[in-house]
Amino acid sequence: MVAESRLRTTAGSLRRSSGAVVAGLVAFVAILASSHLRSTQQNNYTRVAYAWLHGRMWIDWPGRWMDAVQYNGHYYGVDGPVPAIFMLPLVALWGNDANQTTVAIIVAAIATALAWWLAERLGVADLTTKVYLILFFVAGTDVWWCAELGDVWFLAHLTALMFILGALVELAGKGRGWVVGLCLILGAGARFPEIAATPVLIWMLWTGGLGGGPYAQAERIARLRSFAIVLVCGAIAFVGYDELMWGTILDIGHTVYYHADAWGSPTGSPFQLSYVPYQIYSFFFRAPVLVEWLQHVQWPYVKPDTNGIALTYTSPALVLTFLARTPRNVVIALWVATALVAAPEFLYYLNGWVQFGMRHALDFLPYLFALMCIAVRQRLPNWGVVLIIWSALVGAWGVWYWNSYVRTGG
């Protein structure tokens, strides 16, 4: 009986894993095809990896078109360093010509597989509902657009997304503290706002609220202990990285960049309350633009505002998150995590700049996606299907427009 039960459990696990693998492969093929096998020029992580392999922190800066900060006579990348780790094998073979976009597509495919896995662990049993959720995840957000371009900032978002989804999958399963801690520190090492969700992840580890618990007292303590050990080791590593980069234990890169940027200020912090109204407008109100000349509408009739389009237009299916009701403590925790991670985004001086949609929303998408899964695990309403299809079509339009009018090179 025990062997038979284990066999059924193993077979069920394989079926669930196969669905995630298929979802990831489909996403990989679709995004790869739309990318035209290009290699982004904004390949900062390629250059960071190249610098590491040559025993230095400063990058070979090709010109003003690449974001970097000048400091003590050299140029440095200011984005979180973790994605550069994935570039190391390719850079070891091809140097600064390594294709960063390909890595972005692989990361997006893995994130897609994890999203499928998370949906299953949160109780979404219906195959059609899972397909719709994944369609929204890939095409109804900036995941597809970011991956098919693969620029430095986009790879950072996708890497953080992948690791935070990994943390949520673990919390909905075995809930091992060291795995959650490793995912969190690697996600934050790609996009720093992710660290703001630490209190919520601690609560989930303690209560098993996402589906892995409840745990016995001794097990709770053991999980938090292993989580804390990983976070302390990660913090030490990042302090050392900052010391090597800037000569101080503080991460001053974004502040130095803000002081040098024409859109920033020579003094002060890049995070200020005065930027909140602009961010609110960007996230919720910024609309597409009518294409016209002398009051005559021109093809393609409507185009993206290249400073972004509000989630209201690109991802309206996110309203499904408001249908999530129970378990109440988990729903509240996911909303708190969303707010904590979103807070730095709403205080920052730029909304993501040249972009389709609102790419900064990818930083808190894992928590919103979990809320969507909880909301529709019993039934996906017909109007929800319509909003998902709308979101996916808008995402496809963004990819088409960028490939046709903005990033037209191969």
Side-chain angles (χ1 to χ4, degrees), residues 10-237:
T10 302
S13 298
L14 288 174
R15 283 195 299 271
R16 289 190 291 272
S17 299
S18 64
V21 170
V22 169
L25 287 174
V26 170
F28 175 79
V29 172
I31 299 171
L32 184 68
S34 66
S35 75
H36 303 297
L37 302 179
R38 68 166 63 85
S39 180
T40 176
Q41 287 188 315
Q42 298 288 350
N43 62 345
N44 300 46
Y45 283 123
T46 297
R47 294 175 182 276
V48 169
Y50 185 88
W52 291 352
L53 291 175
H54 289 78
R56 51 181 165 84
M57 305 299 288
W58 51 270
I59 66 172
D60 297 318
W61 188 63
R64 292 176 59 84
W65 48 265
M66 174 173 283
D67 275 2
V69 62
Q70 189 174 18
Y71 190 74
N72 289 338
H74 293 291
Y75 285 91
Y76 297 85
V78 298
D79 298 280
V82 167
I85 297 172
F86 302 131
M87 294 305 308
L88 287 170
L90 297 182
V91 172
L93 294 173
W94 291 288
N96 280 330
D97 294 324
N99 191 326
Q100 183 177 289
T101 301
T102 301
V103 174
I105 296 171
I106 293 171
V107 170
I110 295 172
T112 302
L114 289 169
W116 180 284
W117 202 357
L118 179 63
E120 288 195 330
R121 287 198 169 182
L122 291 179
V124 182
D126 181 66
L127 177 62
T128 302
T129 300
K130 283 183 286 194
V131 170
Y132 275 121
L133 285 169
I134 294 304
L135 176 65
F136 171 77
F137 177 82
V138 176
T141 69
D142 268 359
V143 168
W144 182 7
W145 180 81
C146 283
E148 67 111 15
L149 295 176
D151 296 358
V152 52
W153 324 275
F154 311 157
L155 178 55
H157 286 300
L158 294 169
T159 302
L161 177 68
M162 176 182 68
F163 281 118
I164 299 304
L165 281 170
L168 295 180
V169 168
E170 180 64 23
L171 285 163
K174 294 181 179 179
R176 292 164 292 187
W178 69 269
V179 175
V180 177
L182 185 61
C183 286
L184 175 59
I185 205 70
L186 290 172
R191 288 288 298 170
F192 301 123
E194 301 297 355
I195 201 67
T198 301
V200 175
L201 299 186
I202 289 173
W203 176 84
M204 289 179 175
L205 278 172
W206 182 256
T207 63
L210 203 60
Y215 306 127
Q217 183 79 356
E219 191 174 2
R220 288 175 170 179
I221 294 173
R223 291 172 190 275
L224 289 184
R225 182 170 57 243
S226 63
F227 175 82
I229 290 171
V230 171
L231 254 62
V232 169
C233 292
I236 292 171

